[in-house]
Amino acid sequence: MSSRAPGTVVAAASREGRDIVAPLRRSDSYRWDSPDEKPSPDYSRSANPNRDELVTRLAELEGANGGVVTSSGQSAALLALLLIPSSARVIAPHDCYGGTYRLLEALAEQGRLSVEFVDLTDDDALDAALATETAMVWIETPSNPLLRLTDIASVAAKAKKAGALTVADNTLPTPCRQQPLALGCDLVMHSTTKAINGHGDCVGGALLARDAALIERIEFWANAAGLFGSPDAAARTLRGLRTLPLRVAAMEANARTVADYLADHDAVAAVHYPGFTDHPDHALAEQQQTGPGFMIAFDLVGGSPAVEAFLDRLELVNLASSLGAHSSLICVPATMTHRGMPDEAQARAGITPGLLRLSVGLEAASDIIADLGRALDS
Ligand SMILES: *Cc1c(COP(=O)(O)O)cnc(C)c1O
């Protein structure tokens, strides 16, 4: 597969017939000419034209050579974990996505793997963790919800030296802003539910790689365990993907304006946004990402009671746990996206009860600011 510039709008043209957009192919199986000649595709669990096209387009954007489109981001995470032997050790960020935390903890409880949650921005902590034999290092940057950055190239190099596979959850930045495979990761995963579909109407995921042997193992396990996404979901996600670079640019421009507004407001105690020059990871953001993205985290003066009053007064911005959608979504990570994480783990990850996470959408920035302002002024 040839690679495309990350800013390229994906013009997914079908090469079959005269369609500009590939037809939806829902058939579960395909006719054989003879019992000895297996057609391709032959059965929709192992291959489907709509899914295959989405894999091709995502691989172009990530600089991958292949992979699999799955039923959700979580099934893509499970698929990555099926690549390592049973009872192998995984190092994951102490502030990873709540669902990833829950999955790793539950598998560890059953003895299927062991997991150590580490602050990957702490070099000494990572070195100490890698001193024990490790099969996989999980990276998620910027972190969710606090938008801390991990140096992907540095962590991937250390993991490689220690003989571990690295997987990067690239859901928040999207391939338009960050390409982990080019920075040395072996695998990149996505919840396509978020910005890649971007219209809030389809759950899906993906796991992609460069190495042919690794791609073969991903395809084997996705087929063996049945973790694939549906043709309908693939077609809808592809439709979202075609405008991903345009939407990311527009949402990011809005986020810069909204972050500036929040930072200047007396009712706001702190704003976490990698686009700010005084953000602790601003230099790394400039080096590793092509833009600061569309996510903002912030605290209100007055903590939890102030947050409740604020959320009550919002009209345009929706209280919801997803992100990367056309409409602006706000959430309280402690009780929403990160409820799968126990209280002490939340405290360690810096997730306080009053912290808010805002995914800035495609509305006019002035409308978003007017809505936030009305609620903040109350
Ligand atoms: C949403 C999300 C996931 C899980 O994806 P689903 O599609 O909800 O299964 C994983 N990682 C991150 C960063 C996410 O935001």
Side-chain angles (χ1 to χ4, degrees):
M1 289 170 201
S2 58
S3 76
R4 297 271 198 284
T8 307
V9 175
V10 184
S14 167
R15 294 285 166 256
E16 265 172 73
R18 292 178 180 276
D19 301 286
I20 300 298
V21 171
L24 185 52
R25 304 272 298 272
R26 284 186 173 131
S27 185
D28 68 334
S29 53
Y30 295 84
R31 204 171 45 241
W32 295 46
D33 287 333
S34 86
D36 312 317
E37 287 171 59
K38 182 165 129 40
S40 179
D42 71 320
Y43 187 61
S44 196
R45 168 156 41 72
S46 39
N48 168 273
N50 300 106
R51 230 163 46 219
D52 294 350
E53 184 177 3
L54 179 57
V55 169
T56 303
R57 301 303 161 199
L58 285 172
E60 283 170 356
L61 287 175
E62 285 287 5
N65 289 311
V68 162
V69 166
T70 57
S71 57
S72 69
Q74 286 311 107
S75 56
L78 180 62
L79 181 55
L81 295 171
L82 287 173
L83 303 176
I84 57 173
S86 73
S87 67
R89 202 170 105 91
V90 178
I91 294 173
H94 72 308
D95 53 358
C96 64
Y97 174 70
T100 306
Y101 189 96
R102 179 172 49 208
L103 176 64
L104 286 165
E105 277 277 275
L107 291 172
E109 240 168 69
Q110 291 188 322
R112 294 176 193 272
L113 53 78
S114 73
V115 62
E116 184 178 348
F117 293 101
V118 174
D119 180 353
L120 292 184
T121 65
D122 179 344
D123 276 342
D124 294 339
L126 177 62
D127 289 344
L130 280 173
T132 306
E133 191 181 335
T134 302
M136 182 171 273
V137 176
W138 200 276
I139 298 174
E140 189 185 321
T141 177
S143 72
N144 173 8
L146 276 169
L147 308 170
R148 293 188 186 118
L149 267 70
T150 295
D151 186 332
I152 297 176
S154 161
V155 173
K158 285 184 179 190
K160 191 174 192 142
K161 218 167 135 200
L165 284 174
T166 41
V167 49
D169 181 338
N170 209 29
T171 301
L172 252 64
T174 85
C176 295
R177 287 293 172 267
Q178 178 170 282
Q179 295 176 299
L181 299 179
L183 296 168
C185 289
D186 299 295
L187 298 153
V188 60
M189 69 140 283
H190 279 284
S191 165
T192 60
T193 313
K194 314 295 167 53
I196 285 178
N197 178 55
H199 293 73
D201 57 5
C202 188
V203 174
L207 185 67
L208 306 160
R210 278 188 173 169
D211 179 68
L214 208 44
I215 293 168
E216 208 172 292
R217 280 161 65 201
I218 295 171
E219 289 173 344
F220 171 84
W221 279 109
N223 182 46
L227 297 175
F228 59 93
S230 74
D232 299 66
R236 207 166 327 134
T237 303
L238 197 52
R239 173 164 151 160
L241 184 65
R242 287 179 191 124
T243 57
L244 178 69
L246 303 176
R247 287 184 290 104
V248 167
M251 294 192 295
E252 183 179 70
N254 275 352
R256 285 182 192 271
T257 311
V258 170
D260 283 339
Y261 171 79
L262 290 172
D264 276 345
H265 203 288
D266 291 341
V268 177
V271 180
H272 311 271
Y273 185 59
F276 287 161
T277 49
D278 63 353
H279 184 282
D281 302 322
H282 180 70
L284 183 56
E286 297 260 283
Q287 170 195 322
Q288 180 167 283
Q289 300 177 202
T290 54
F294 50 81
M295 300 292 294
I296 302 170
F298 61 105
D299 295 286
L300 295 187
V301 173
S304 296
V307 165
E308 248 170 72
F310 167 73
L311 293 173
D312 262 355
R313 295 193 59 128
L314 289 174
E315 287 169 14
L316 179 72
V317 178
N318 290 294
L319 181 64
S321 61
S322 196
L323 60 92
H326 59 288
S327 66
S328 293
L329 304 175
I330 197 162
C331 80
V332 180
T335 57
M336 296 172 71
T337 51
H338 287 66
R339 68 179 176 280
M341 212 183 233
D343 289 350
E344 64 280 6
Q346 285 196 5
R348 207 176 138 227
I351 303 169
T352 52
L355 183 73
L356 290 162
R357 186 194 78 184
L358 176 63
S359 172
V360 181
L362 293 167
E363 305 92 340
S366 55
D367 287 342
I368 302 169
I369 285 173
D371 195 43
L372 295 172
R374 199 170 38 239
L376 285 172
D377 292 338
S378 65

